[in-house]
């Protein structure tokens, strides 16, 4: 596990953020509705909002508060200096909750800056559909997805994970230029978290697929500057969530990077050149 904290001057000289911390939003009403519909074998989740407008659930708001209080408890050298967010409501509201808790603790920050490159993966015609609905309505797409694999499959009207990688490479180029030496907090989605790992760590397709479904709501994944690179320090941490605020499928606590890297390779801060489903990530 990486335990040192890069100095701001050193990271700035290297041209990378001192820290990049990416959190998944708290549970959304879409997450809760999809889980209930899948368990019941239903076709319809009952969610009527556009994907960008899907809000946090009551549990998600509690999780976002827990996340903010955890950030506020960090030592000064770990506090975020800038907050960037997906424009989707569930991520933006999570970012604002963190900022509010930091302000209450005497650590004010500017409002979160929205960046559309951090949005959830667009799932096109599959958006909002349970697995039963996808099989019944789009059996050809189900077969095509199985043939192409998770990394390259692009639903009609949607994105492949490689499309998400392209926009994250663009985001990282700007972050290295604009936020070098700073501690950056990003509020986003599960597909964004695993694709940051894909881009920064050079994961293989098999290593990426192994991460699918592993990112808990309101979890923390952190990279630190290390000799000109961003190296994974912690993945999918959830120990800051109070008891009862994390689903059973995501074990409490997450793992340090030394226990959970598919590759173990360092990640370049400068880019080298969730799986498709209901679009509720």
């Amino acid at each position: 596990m990486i335990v040192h904290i890069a100095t701001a001057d050193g990271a700035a000289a290297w041209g990378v953020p001192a820290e990049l911390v990416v959190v998944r939003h708290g549970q959304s009403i879409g997450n809760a509705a999809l889980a209930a519909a899948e368990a019941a074998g239903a076709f319809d989740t009952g969610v009527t909002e556009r994907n960008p407008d899907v809000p946090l659930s009551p549990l998600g708001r509690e999780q976002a508060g827990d996340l903010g209080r955890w950030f506020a408890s960090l030592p000064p050298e770990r506090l975020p200096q800038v907050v960037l967010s997906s424009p989707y409501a569930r991520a933006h509201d999570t970012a604002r909750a963190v900022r509010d808790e930091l302000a209450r603790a005497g650590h004010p920050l500017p409002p979160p800056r929205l960046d559309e490159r951090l949005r959830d993966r667009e799932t096109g015609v599959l958006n909002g559909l349970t697995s039963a609905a996808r099989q019944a309505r789009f059996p050809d797409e189900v077969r095509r997805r199985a043939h192409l694999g998770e990394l390259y499959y692009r639903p009609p009207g949607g994105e492949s994970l490689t499309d998400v990688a392209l926009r994250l490479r663009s985001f990282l180029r700007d972050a290295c230029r604009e936020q070098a030496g700073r501690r950056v907090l990003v509020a986003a989605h599960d597909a964004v978290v695993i694709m940051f790992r894909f881009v920064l760590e050079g994961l293989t397709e098999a290593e990426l697929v192994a991460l699918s479904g592993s990112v808990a709501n309101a979890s923390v994944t952190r990279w630190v500057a290390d000799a000109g690179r961003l190296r994974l320090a912690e993945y999918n941490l959830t120990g800051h969530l109070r008891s009862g605020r994390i689903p059973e499928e995501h074990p409490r606590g997450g793992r340090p990077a030394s226990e959970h890297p598919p590759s173990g390779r360092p990640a370049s801060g400068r880019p080298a050149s969730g799986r498709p489903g209901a679009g509720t990530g």
Side-chain angles (χ1 to χ4, degrees), residues 11-224:
W14 294 329
V16 295
E19 285 195 9
L20 175 64
V21 181
V22 184
V23 302
R24 186 187 178 195
H25 59 79
Q27 184 196 65
S28 70
I29 63 168
N31 296 145
L34 179 63
E38 289 282 8
F43 279 23
D44 187 10
T45 64
V47 176
T48 58
E49 291 89 350
R50 293 187 316 154
N51 192 20
D53 301 330
V54 172
L56 294 174
S57 68
L59 173 60
R61 291 193 293 271
E62 293 175 346
Q63 291 173 331
D66 287 347
L67 183 62
R69 285 183 286 275
W70 178 78
F71 273 105
S73 73
L74 293 175
E77 67 272 14
R78 286 283 311 279
L79 293 173
Q81 296 170 299
V82 61
V83 182
L84 306 174
S85 176
S86 159
Y88 284 20
R90 53 194 180 273
H92 189 202
D93 288 348
T94 299
R96 288 190 293 194
V98 171
R99 176 178 178 263
D100 289 347
E101 291 296 339
L102 285 167
R104 289 190 187 97
H107 308 298
L109 284 174
R113 289 170 44 188
L114 302 184
D115 193 313
E116 78 286 347
R117 294 171 294 185
L118 299 171
R119 70 189 183 277
D120 199 6
R121 180 185 185 177
E122 297 177 2
T123 52
V125 299
L126 303 184
N127 187 64
L129 300 184
T130 63
S131 55
R134 293 196 298 272
Q135 182 63 59
R137 299 177 190 175
F138 299 102
D140 290 345
E141 287 303 314
V142 172
R143 288 190 289 271
R144 192 165 71 91
R145 172 185 174 183
H147 174 68
L148 292 176
E150 299 292 353
L151 181 60
Y152 299 108
Y153 171 67
R154 180 184 293 115
E159 293 180 295
S160 67
L161 286 175
T162 53
D163 293 329
V164 178
L166 285 173
R167 51 180 161 96
L168 293 182
R169 292 180 197 279
S170 168
F171 171 85
L172 286 164
R173 279 191 291 269
D174 287 350
C176 287
R177 184 179 68 251
E178 299 169 5
Q179 309 297 341
R182 306 185 78 192
R183 296 181 296 275
V184 179
L185 170 62
V186 168
H189 309 268
D190 54 353
V192 172
V193 175
I194 66 169
M195 292 313 290
F196 266 124
R197 291 202 60 181
F198 178 79
V199 170
L200 287 170
E201 298 166 49
L203 302 186
T204 66
E205 182 178 1
E207 289 167 343
L208 176 70
V209 170
L211 293 177
S212 181
S214 66
V215 184
N217 288 116
S219 62
V220 175
T221 298
R222 182 170 70 100
W223 292 263
V224 297

Side-chain angles (χ1 to χ4, degrees), residues 235-259:
Y235 176 62
N236 192 40
L237 296 186
T238 57
H240 49 278
L241 298 177
R242 296 184 187 181
S243 178
R245 292 184 181 173
I246 180 170
E248 292 181 0
E249 63 266 27
H250 293 294
R252 174 174 292 277
R255 296 182 183 179
S258 60
E259 297 176 12

